Amino acid sequence: MVTIRLTNSMTHRKEAFVPLDAGNVRMYVCGPTVYDRAHLGNARPVVVFDVLYRLLRHVYGAEHVTYVRNFTDVDDKINAKAAETGRDIREITDETIGWYHADMDALGALRPDHEPRATEYIGAMISMIETLIRKGFAYTAPISYGHNSKAVYFNSEKAPEHGFFRVESDEDYGKLSGRSLDDMISGAKAEIGEGKRNPMDFVLWKPSTVDEPGWESPWGMGRPGWHIECSAMAKALLGDLFDIHAGGLDLQFPHHENEIAQSCCANGTDEMAQVWLHNEMLLVEGKKMSKSLGNFFTVRDLLEQGVPGEVIRFVLLSTHYRSPMDWTAEKAQIARNHLRRWWELLGPIEFHPDPTEPTAAFLASLSNDLDSAGAIAEILKLENQGRIEEFASCVKMLGFLYSDEARLKIMTENNLSEAIRDKINSLVRVWIEARRQKRWDYADDLSRNMKILGVQLIALRDNGSDWKHINPDYMGDDSQADLSAKLDKLLEVFK
């Protein structure tokens, strides 16, 4: 059996993954708060941990893996959008979940086995909070009406109560992020308010006004804090202790730290999950994605601009998940060129060969802490060697070539005909062979001539190669004929 090794954020070590029960491998990934479109940074953990899900299913069997990814459908951002638009909260969250499914489907991500909505587990959250209070890990405090005298709360005869987790009661708090409690307290805001005893204590339950969603509880009409949601849903669907908990690095503190504290203290366990995985953040052309910089875009923005979902997926997987990922136009073009060749090699989906076992080298890369970039390099080797059946199996396992609609879009981009692409690819193969034989002058001469025609050759590791079309003059039908004739001449010279 393939040994999967993963870098555990809790121990900061790459470790061999040994499931608690090989017949029931369980994984939880924190999902979106559903009030708006998913941006490209939101898509990275979806694609990364989709690959892990595929790998686990391959190793342990699809029927032995349970993958949970939640929807947070009760949140102040959702309330604010409802107030701003005058729309019903459920209408907003249903619409946003539909958007999310459509966008992630376009990226080739498999749907999880369970996609719980927070509002479906309020009872489980109330029960967990009651347990924490009973065990002395949490406390309640009446709301001060003077704090917001204009607010009208439910249960007017009794002051609604907040629920707080008492951070100092958990000796292990901070073990995931590596922060000491003293440091966290000294860096916290000095004000407490609303009955909070310590600046580090975090909300488990908060009162609702008549304008906010609320549920009956022992502490009046209210709604859960963000962190308790995942703890309750994970416990209900995966148990007190499960195998893998994953998400973006931005969730490590405080969200995942607080999840661990709540879950372990309520359930009486030392751990919530055996392995914690976190993907690094995303950049755009070397800069942090930001609306103020004008480089903020959603997955839907890219799709509507004509970027196929498979191209987005390729770029996201071309960098190791624990390294910052820089989205650039050049990377997107390289992805297009790879995928175009792959589609040319296999044709429409109905003609793809039946899957065989992925190669040992491909599985070794993928099992080595989800080295998707290394797995892509192995696919390029198979392509260059003409090992079509193995190539197809590895491509499919990594989640590519899943949409004939994307195939048609990729094949017709830039208005370059398939005949011209065939000629370019023939010259690329000549270039690869010349470099393999170390005929550097010959290869460089071909590269210079190709660049004059607007085709830039790009050398990749392991004798792989790529090309991108860089000359906009060859976009119309007449100029394509000219380009085709010039490529024919190069094919005569460079045989």
Side-chain angles (χ1 to χ4, degrees):
M1 179 180 287
V2 173
T3 299
I4 301 172
R5 297 180 63 81
L6 300 170
T7 298
N8 189 346
S9 300
M10 183 67 76
T11 62
H12 307 289
R13 294 193 301 267
K14 188 188 294 186
E15 303 166 346
F17 173 67
V18 180
L20 296 163
D21 176 3
N24 183 21
V25 182
R26 291 158 289 163
M27 177 171 71
Y28 188 98
V29 176
C30 285
T33 300
V34 285
Y35 69 98
D36 207 348
R37 289 280 189 183
H39 60 69
L40 190 60
N42 300 142
R44 192 180 191 195
V46 173
V47 172
V48 164
F49 300 120
D50 173 68
V51 170
L52 176 57
Y53 182 42
R54 291 168 184 267
L55 178 61
L56 292 171
R57 285 160 61 96
H58 177 81
V59 174
Y60 296 100
E63 69 277 15
H64 300 303
V65 179
T66 302
Y67 173 21
V68 177
R69 187 180 65 221
N70 70 292
F71 288 117
T72 294
D73 61 345
V74 52
D75 184 88
D76 288 346
K77 291 178 181 177
I78 302 172
N79 300 342
K81 186 163 186 177
E84 177 187 345
T85 62
R87 299 175 65 196
D88 181 74
I89 286 175
R90 183 73 184 203
E91 181 185 353
I92 291 171
T93 57
D94 284 351
E95 177 183 62
T96 308
I97 288 172
W99 290 345
Y100 188 82
H101 277 149
D103 292 346
M104 298 308 114
D105 289 350
L107 303 186
L110 301 174
R111 297 275 183 97
D113 299 289
H114 301 280
E115 293 183 290
R117 297 174 66 132
T119 52
E120 297 169 349
Y121 289 82
I122 300 296
M125 297 173 203
I126 290 173
S127 177
M128 182 171 278
I129 295 169
E130 288 180 311
T131 299
L132 289 168
I133 292 172
R134 186 177 68 252
K135 289 185 171 184
F137 295 107
Y139 59 91
T140 60
I143 192 169
S144 169
Y145 282 97
H147 176 71
N148 189 350
S149 59
K150 295 182 180 180
V152 178
Y153 291 90
F154 290 100
N155 294 349
S156 58
E157 294 183 0
K158 174 193 174 193
E161 293 183 303
H162 274 94
F164 295 105
F165 184 88
R166 192 161 62 87
V167 168
E168 287 183 298
S169 67
D170 180 12
E171 294 180 356
D172 291 330
Y173 190 83
K175 64 182 179 181
L176 177 65
S177 60
R179 307 183 187 198
S180 72
L181 188 56
D182 288 342
D183 288 343
M184 286 187 282
I185 291 174
S186 65
K189 293 181 180 179
E191 68 270 12
I192 297 179
E194 293 298 346
K196 186 191 287 192
R197 301 173 186 172
N198 186 304
M200 284 304 302
D201 294 348
F202 57 86
V203 174
L204 299 172
W205 189 262
K206 49 189 172 184
S208 293
T209 69
V210 294
D211 297 323
E212 297 169 326
W215 289 263
E216 289 284 2
S217 78
W219 319 289
M221 188 72 78
R223 60 197 192 280
W226 175 36
H227 312 299
I228 196 71
E229 296 177 8
C230 287
S231 286
M233 289 185 281
K235 176 182 173 70
L237 293 168
L238 300 177
D240 292 354
L241 175 62
F242 51 93
D243 295 292
I244 298 169
H245 196 315
L249 187 62
D250 57 321
L251 298 179
Q252 187 178 62
F253 183 87
H255 184 51
H256 288 166
E257 196 77 76
N258 292 350
E259 276 190 63
I260 293 170
Q262 296 162 158
S263 295
C264 292
C265 291
N267 300 331
T269 58
D270 293 329
E271 297 177 304
M272 180 185 183
Q274 275 203 119
V275 179
W276 288 83
L277 302 177
H278 293 94
N279 64 275
E280 257 286 3
M281 296 296 97
L282 181 134
L283 305 173
V284 176
E285 302 289 352
K287 298 179 181 179
K288 184 177 179 179
M289 191 163 63
S290 166
K291 291 182 179 179
S292 63
L293 294 176
N295 66 351
F296 178 94
F297 44 83
T298 67
V299 172
R300 181 52 48 178
D301 290 334
L302 288 175
L303 294 172
E304 291 182 349
Q305 291 167 16
V307 182
E310 293 201 25
V311 169
I312 300 172
R313 184 181 183 90
F314 192 106
V315 176
L316 291 174
L317 292 179
S318 63
T319 299
H320 193 277
Y321 78 96
R322 289 193 302 106
S323 297
M325 208 294 295
D326 191 9
W327 173 276
T328 67
E330 182 176 4
K331 286 181 180 178
Q333 184 60 52
I334 288 173
R336 283 181 171 91
N337 293 338
H338 280 307
L339 291 165
R340 183 180 295 117
R341 291 198 316 273
W342 294 1
W343 276 116
E344 288 172 345
L345 195 60
L346 294 183
I349 291 173
E350 62 180 304
F351 299 122
H352 291 185
D354 292 333
T356 61
E357 180 74 9
T359 65
F362 171 85
L363 287 174
S365 290
L366 210 54
S367 300
N368 181 22
D369 200 21
L370 295 182
D371 183 7
S372 54
I376 290 173
E378 293 299 328
I379 289 174
L380 294 177
K381 287 182 183 178
L382 296 172
E383 177 192 0
N384 291 334
Q385 295 166 4
R387 295 162 63 182
I388 303 303
E389 291 185 357
E390 294 166 308
F391 162 81
S393 294
C394 295
V395 163
K396 286 298 187 69
M397 185 169 172
L398 209 52
F400 292 115
L401 306 194
Y402 54 84
S403 166
D404 271 331
E405 181 182 353
R407 178 184 70 86
L408 291 172
K409 184 177 291 185
I410 289 170
M411 297 296 285
T412 57
E413 281 179 335
N414 293 340
N415 294 325
L416 290 179
S417 69
E418 290 192 33
I420 286 179
R421 292 197 193 94
D422 287 342
K423 293 175 183 180
I424 292 174
N425 284 327
S426 294
L427 288 163
V428 170
R429 285 191 287 273
V430 171
W431 183 64
I432 292 172
E433 182 62 21
R435 290 174 59 82
R436 189 185 67 79
Q437 296 177 6
K438 298 183 179 180
R439 298 169 62 196
W440 305 117
D441 290 343
Y442 188 86
D444 289 346
D445 191 20
L446 173 55
S447 180
R448 281 192 296 271
N449 278 276
M450 293 287 280
K451 192 168 186 179
I452 292 171
L453 298 185
V455 178
Q456 181 175 335
L457 301 182
I458 303 167
L460 303 176
R461 65 178 181 175
D462 299 321
N463 291 323
S465 69
D466 209 331
W467 61 271
K468 66 177 181 177
H469 189 239
I470 58 175
N471 193 333
D473 293 337
Y474 290 123
M475 297 297 283
D477 290 337
D478 292 339
S479 54
Q480 281 204 48
D482 184 44
L483 174 60
S484 181
K486 292 180 178 180
L487 288 170
D488 286 337
K489 289 182 179 179
L490 284 183
L491 284 167
E492 291 178 7
V493 175
F494 296 93
K495 298 180 180 178

